[in-house]
Amino acid sequence: VKFDKKNDILSMDRAKIFFPIRFRSWKEGDKMVPLGMKGQKKLSDIFIDNKYDASQKRHAIVVESGGEIIGVSGYRISERVKVDFRTHEILSIQFR
């Protein structure tokens, strides 16, 4: 599966992440607060909005921290872990 080049690296504020991080497949009902939004959005709606085909959906990797989705491969991170002016360390995850 090929990811959009601009979204194949997720960069997050390390201090806002609870370890261990968990990587898994998406499942129906998954929600996250996408960067730039205030409320939660279902991953299935995100996939539709971004025109993911069946293969992209099937191979999407969910990044979880503390039981909360903090990122999705080929998409973006959660508002909760965004890098801002207070950030001292950045955790970057690259999908290949």
Side-chain angles (χ1 to χ4, degrees):
V1 172
K2 230 173 151 103
F3 295 112
D4 183 343
K5 290 289 182 204
K6 68 179 188 228
N7 292 322
D8 69 350
I9 298 176
L10 302 180
S11 295
M12 301 166 266
D13 184 332
R14 191 192 178 293
K16 298 175 183 174
I17 297 170
F18 301 102
F19 290 90
I21 295 173
R22 183 174 168 219
F23 297 90
R24 63 173 178 80
S25 300
W26 82 281
K27 55 189 173 201
E28 196 63 44
D30 276 346
K31 295 178 184 177
M32 71 178 286
V33 180
L35 183 64
M37 293 183 67
K38 293 184 187 218
Q40 288 190 337
K41 190 167 186 171
K42 286 185 177 182
L43 292 189
S44 58
D45 292 336
I46 290 170
F47 295 150
I48 290 168
D49 293 348
N50 289 279
K51 297 177 177 39
Y52 273 45
D53 62 31
S55 176
Q56 288 171 305
K57 274 175 64 171
R58 190 172 43 257
H59 291 96
I61 300 168
V62 171
V63 183
E64 227 177 39
S65 167
E68 181 180 344
I69 296 173
I70 60 168
V72 178
S73 62
Y75 180 58
R76 58 182 162 178
I77 63 168
S78 166
E79 178 71 20
R80 189 181 72 70
V81 295
K82 72 180 177 183
V83 173
D84 60 26
F85 68 94
R86 294 174 294 239
T87 301
H88 294 288
E89 288 183 278
I90 295 174
L91 172 69
S92 292
I93 300 170
Q94 183 173 15
F95 298 94
R96 294 180 183 213

